[in-house]
Amino acid sequence: MRSESFVSFIKKVSKRLRDRIYLILDNHPSHTSKHSKMELSKLNLKLAYLPYNFPKLKRIEDELSLSQREVIANRKFKHKEELISAMKK
């Protein structure tokens, strides 16, 4: 993901939410670029960056990777409830 896409996505989310957003980020280049940091500083966000090689994150990434392969890949969900139901199965 490029920083422009990342920033665009965060801007869309922040427009829908009026409250302050707390965003926890890893150190992906799209999250740490000058462009991203500059644009995100203009929004009502509280940013927290995880340390490099954060061991607890590995388990989360493994689980999300499994979900991506087993549940989400090659499927389109019309509603979030369909996605939630598929994830629970």
Side-chain angles (χ1 to χ4, degrees):
M1 175 184 290
R2 299 185 52 182
S3 62
E4 292 82 8
S5 300
F6 170 66
V7 169
S8 175
F9 171 74
I10 297 301
K11 284 181 176 181
K12 287 177 186 175
V13 170
S14 68
K15 282 182 184 178
R16 294 181 149 224
L17 302 172
R18 305 226 184 262
D19 295 332
R20 183 171 212 178
I21 299 171
Y22 293 84
L23 195 57
I24 301 170
L25 302 166
D26 61 12
N27 289 286
H28 188 275
S30 66
H31 302 163
T32 58
S33 72
K34 288 180 184 178
H35 171 76
S36 292
K37 287 183 176 183
M38 182 180 69
E39 291 298 317
L40 295 178
S41 71
K42 299 174 186 176
L43 303 174
N44 188 23
L45 302 173
K46 175 68 177 167
L47 303 176
Y49 289 91
L50 295 172
Y52 286 99
N53 299 319
F54 191 60
K56 291 182 181 178
L57 181 61
K58 180 67 176 135
R59 288 186 293 175
I60 295 168
E61 288 178 341
D62 290 344
E63 188 67 30
L64 290 174
S65 177
L66 177 64
S67 298
Q68 172 66 31
R69 286 191 315 273
E70 301 291 327
V71 179
I72 301 170
N74 301 317
R75 294 180 66 186
K76 291 189 178 186
F77 299 95
K78 293 181 182 179
H79 305 286
K80 70 178 179 183
E81 288 78 18
E82 290 180 41
L83 172 61
I84 292 168
S85 176
M87 294 292 287
K88 285 181 179 179
K89 289 179 185 177

